[in-house]
Amino acid sequence: EEGGEKKSKCWREKGRSAAEERLRGEEKHRRSGTWHRNSDCSAVLFPSPLLLLPRTCLLLVNVFSACTLTARQLNTLMVDAKGRNMKCLTFFLMLPESVKSKSSKSSKKGNASGSSKLPPVCYEIITLRSKKKKKMAADIFPTKKQASTTTVQQYQQQNLNNNNTIQNCNWQGLYSTIRERNSVMFNNELMADVHFVVGQPGRTQRLPGHRYVLAVGSSVFHAMFYGELAENNDEIHIPDVEPAAFLAMLKYIYCDEIDLSADTVLATLYAAKKYIVPHLARACVNFLETSLSAKNACVLLSQSCLFEEPELTQRCWEVIDAQAELALRSEGFCDIDAQTLESILQRETLNAKEIVVFEAALNWAEAECQRQELTSSTDNKRKVLGKAMYLIRIPTMALDDFANGAAQSGVLTLNETNDIFLWYTAAKKPELEFVSQPRQGLTPQRCHRFQSCAYRSNQWRYRGRCDSIQFAVDKRVFIAGFGLYGSSCGSAEYSAKIELKRQGVLLGQNLSKYFSDGSSNTFPVWFEYPVQIEPDTFYTASVVLDGNELSYFGQEGMTEVQCGKVTFQFQCSSDSTNGTGVQGGQIPELIFYA
């Protein structure tokens, strides 16, 4: 085909006369082991055909390398031979085009060297020079077609369901990176050489694993499978880790993906700590910090101490201190251990009323009685509380709170109740085992966004309209309330409805009254509970005032204010319908804990 019809005719004419000559010279060519080259053929250097070509091709190479052929004789063999030599032609047709196209460079080297002696194994392949247009690299090595999204998703769903078979025998070709191919092995029986029975008895799950992959991802697995005390068991029982958490850890090791949820993050952190997977453990801690709130702060405090995560512990204390009453009334508070309970009860900066602390301790005691399978009697509650009872600062309660609450709870002895009453009323106070000094709590900070204030006639009118401003911080804080202006015409009383929103979602509100003395000072209005503010997110502070129409207002507003280690940024809000903005108006102060 390459020589064209003209050359084919020439080959047929010369074939008959050359057949006898070929047969006579065949034995001579085998012995010499040389290949003659001329301008009609070219040599292509192929470094290691024995490693790259199929078995059938290797046999044909050996047959062909046993002969010494001139270019003319090669043409003859292509016509006359139908046995062994025809297989040589078949071998040439089986060669990939990428091999044939490399002939030009090696051809020059072959012509310069003349005939050379070759070893028994062929490492030079002779092909006829093609007159076709030389192919470019893009034609020789076309870009591999990417696997369809449907096919990839099918395999991903397959290993998630722990299917033991892969339908496509060339599944490796569907993925372009080692990471993607390695991901297919996640939770897959294919080539699995170890199995884990994870979970408590009765709720176990058998999961496949691959020793090499696990050893690369964890030093504990490396010691388990390849260390001096390596285990040879094909099945390993892990009763102290939840199956979902163990799967999350395996997914990170196999797929380099972190899949966390609020329900499994603590168990995953435990697994990451146990098997020393530090990056996954760090991701779990970050997840807990971002999802930290008053509802789960006490539980996370207990776990952070167990896992020895000081940064997470500090974050938990910040939330518990600022939102103490919410944290103490949460369901998670009843699940903490006795040591964590004592650390909370003796906290000096706890920002809560003491009656709330007392009620939270009783709730914990009732839950602890259930855990110990005791009846929830007052004696048993006092028993499980132990010395923690004296960490509650009962003498610092308001008298009404003590008389209507702690004194009638039944957990105090008669002598303790009498002594505390005397502490409230007698000039000579008795000695008490309870701490009698009130907690210091947190000191609120104020962010003032105006450089001056003023008042003019007929300003500032309210009439039920909303004054609003948006703000953001660079660190987590807790907004406890707003500082508001009062009347510019003497003392007056105002009614204020304050709100705090994030992207339209109401986070906190309160309706209260405050009294202004006619000065330009600001007057605090508090939320029922401090509102947690996350960094780098804009929140909307709003107030609707009702009172004397002539009031002070701020001017020369600032877009950025530094308060200690916290930076506030302000921008106008579309909710403001009464003229308040960045440059002037109401809501001069934000009161916060940090």
Side-chain angles (χ1 to χ4, degrees), residues 480-485 492-499 508-516 523-529 542-547 591:
F482 302 152
L484 303 177
Y485 288 124
E493 186 179 58
Y494 283 85
S495 175
K497 179 183 178 181
I498 59 175
E499 292 182 346
Q509 66 176 353
N510 195 18
L511 178 62
S512 62
K513 296 182 178 181
Y514 68 96
F515 183 82
S516 66
F523 303 92
V525 179
W526 307 92
F527 288 106
E528 185 178 3
Y529 302 108
S542 304
V543 59
V544 176
L545 290 171
D546 184 17
I591 306 173

Side-chain angles (χ1 to χ4, degrees), residues 111-157:
N111 292 336
S113 60
S115 62
S116 60
K117 205 165 188 178
L118 300 179
V121 178
C122 172
Y123 61 88
E124 288 190 83
I125 302 173
I126 297 180
T127 60
L128 294 177
R129 185 181 301 277
S130 176
K131 294 183 181 180
K132 294 182 180 180
K133 182 179 179 181
K134 183 175 287 188
K135 293 185 178 182
M136 303 301 291
D139 300 324
I140 299 173
F141 304 105
T143 303
K144 180 179 175 183
K145 186 177 180 180
Q146 296 292 333
S148 64
T149 304
T150 304
T151 306
V152 174
Q153 289 178 349
Q154 178 182 358
Y155 282 107
Q156 290 175 347
Q157 185 62 36

Side-chain angles (χ1 to χ4, degrees), residues 477-503:
V477 298
F478 301 88
I479 298 296
F482 302 152
L484 303 177
Y485 288 124
S487 172
S488 59
C489 302
S491 59
E493 186 179 58
Y494 283 85
S495 175
K497 179 183 178 181
I498 59 175
E499 292 182 346
L500 195 57
K501 298 179 181 180
R502 177 182 179 180
Q503 298 177 352

Side-chain angles (χ1 to χ4, degrees), residues 14-30 64 67-70 72-86:
K14 295 180 180 180
R16 298 184 183 89
S17 60
E20 294 181 0
E21 181 181 354
R22 177 185 60 76
L23 295 175
R24 289 193 299 270
E26 184 174 355
E27 185 65 27
K28 180 180 178 181
H29 294 323
R30 285 198 184 97
F64 194 35
C67 301
T68 305
L69 303 174
T70 64
R72 185 181 301 277
Q73 290 165 340
L74 178 62
N75 295 339
T76 303
L77 290 178
M78 288 182 175
V79 176
D80 296 339
K82 294 184 179 179
R84 179 192 61 189
N85 294 321
M86 193 61 185

Side-chain angles (χ1 to χ4, degrees), residues 120-389:
V121 178
C122 172
Y123 61 88
E124 288 190 83
I125 302 173
I126 297 180
T127 60
L128 294 177
R129 185 181 301 277
S130 176
K131 294 183 181 180
K132 294 182 180 180
K133 182 179 179 181
K134 183 175 287 188
K135 293 185 178 182
M136 303 301 291
D139 300 324
I140 299 173
F141 304 105
T143 303
K144 180 179 175 183
K145 186 177 180 180
Q146 296 292 333
S148 64
T149 304
T150 304
T151 306
V152 174
Q153 289 178 349
Q154 178 182 358
Y155 282 107
Q156 290 175 347
Q157 185 62 36
Q158 188 177 42
N159 59 40
L160 285 176
N161 294 336
N162 195 9
N163 288 337
N164 300 336
T165 59
I166 293 183
Q167 301 298 330
N168 192 339
C169 60
N170 187 29
W171 61 268
Q172 295 90 339
L174 296 175
Y175 306 94
S176 59
T177 65
I178 185 63
R179 176 180 175 272
E180 294 173 334
R181 293 190 290 274
N182 204 48
S183 299
V184 178
M185 295 295 98
F186 164 61
N187 197 21
N188 199 320
E189 290 285 352
L190 182 65
M191 296 185 286
D193 53 3
V194 67
H195 287 80
F196 300 94
V197 180
V198 187
Q200 298 178 356
R203 295 183 298 173
T204 60
Q205 186 173 347
R206 193 171 186 266
L207 304 174
H210 307 77
R211 296 174 186 262
Y212 167 74
V213 179
L214 296 171
V216 170
S218 165
S219 59
V220 174
F221 283 127
H222 181 272
M224 183 185 300
F225 299 137
Y226 301 103
E228 296 180 356
L229 302 177
E231 297 184 12
N232 296 323
N233 299 333
D234 293 334
E235 192 171 270
I236 300 174
H237 292 263
I238 307 176
D240 59 329
V241 178
E242 296 180 6
F246 196 80
L247 272 174
M249 183 182 68
L250 291 184
K251 187 172 184 179
Y252 171 76
I253 294 176
Y254 278 82
C255 311
D256 199 24
E257 296 179 7
I258 298 176
D259 187 9
L260 300 175
S261 65
D263 296 331
T264 62
V265 61
L266 283 174
T268 304
L269 177 59
Y270 173 77
K273 288 283 187 176
K274 178 179 179 179
Y275 292 98
I276 311 180
V277 188
H279 297 289
L280 178 60
R282 183 68 256 173
C284 292
V285 172
N286 292 337
F287 182 91
L288 291 172
E289 288 181 354
T290 55
S291 60
L292 182 61
S293 66
K295 295 181 180 180
N296 59 14
C298 295
V299 174
L300 293 184
L301 174 66
S302 177
Q303 298 296 325
S304 65
C305 296
L306 175 64
F307 296 137
E308 297 181 351
E309 290 289 343
E311 293 183 6
L312 180 59
T313 301
Q314 179 59 32
R315 297 284 187 182
C316 292
W317 279 126
E318 292 175 2
V319 175
I320 294 173
D321 285 341
Q323 298 179 303
E325 294 190 3
L326 286 176
L328 294 174
R329 287 171 175 167
S330 66
E331 294 181 1
F333 179 80
C334 297
D335 298 329
I336 62 177
D337 58 280
Q339 184 177 359
T340 305
L341 173 69
E342 292 181 3
S343 64
I344 294 176
L345 294 182
Q346 66 186 6
R347 186 77 173 172
E348 188 69 30
T349 53
L350 208 60
N351 199 35
K353 297 178 180 179
E354 206 62 34
I355 186 61
V356 176
V357 178
F358 178 81
E359 292 173 351
L362 291 185
N363 293 334
W364 180 90
E366 183 175 357
E368 184 65 16
C369 288
Q370 296 177 358
R371 287 190 287 266
Q372 297 185 16
E373 298 181 353
L374 301 174
T375 58
S376 298
S377 62
T378 55
D379 292 338
N380 287 335
K381 290 180 181 180
R382 180 63 185 263
K383 178 181 178 181
V384 297
L385 281 172
K387 295 181 180 180
M389 186 69 189

Side-chain angles (χ1 to χ4, degrees), residues 397-464:
M397 293 182 185
L399 181 58
D400 291 343
D401 291 339
F402 173 74
N404 298 321
Q408 299 184 35
S409 64
V411 295
L412 297 176
T413 65
L414 183 59
N415 290 334
E416 289 172 343
T417 304
N418 291 335
D419 289 343
I420 294 174
F421 266 120
L422 290 175
W423 174 269
Y424 282 112
T425 58
K428 185 178 180 181
K429 301 183 183 301
E431 293 184 2
L432 300 175
E433 294 187 63
F434 297 93
V435 180
S436 58
Q437 296 294 328
R439 304 178 193 271
Q440 295 180 1
L442 292 177
T443 302
Q445 303 181 46
R446 295 173 180 257
C447 174
H448 197 91
R449 66 187 190 95
F450 293 128
Q451 300 184 60
S452 63
C453 66
Y455 68 93
R456 294 193 297 269
S457 178
N458 297 327
Q459 292 276 346
W460 191 272
R461 291 182 180 273
Y462 299 115
R463 297 180 179 177

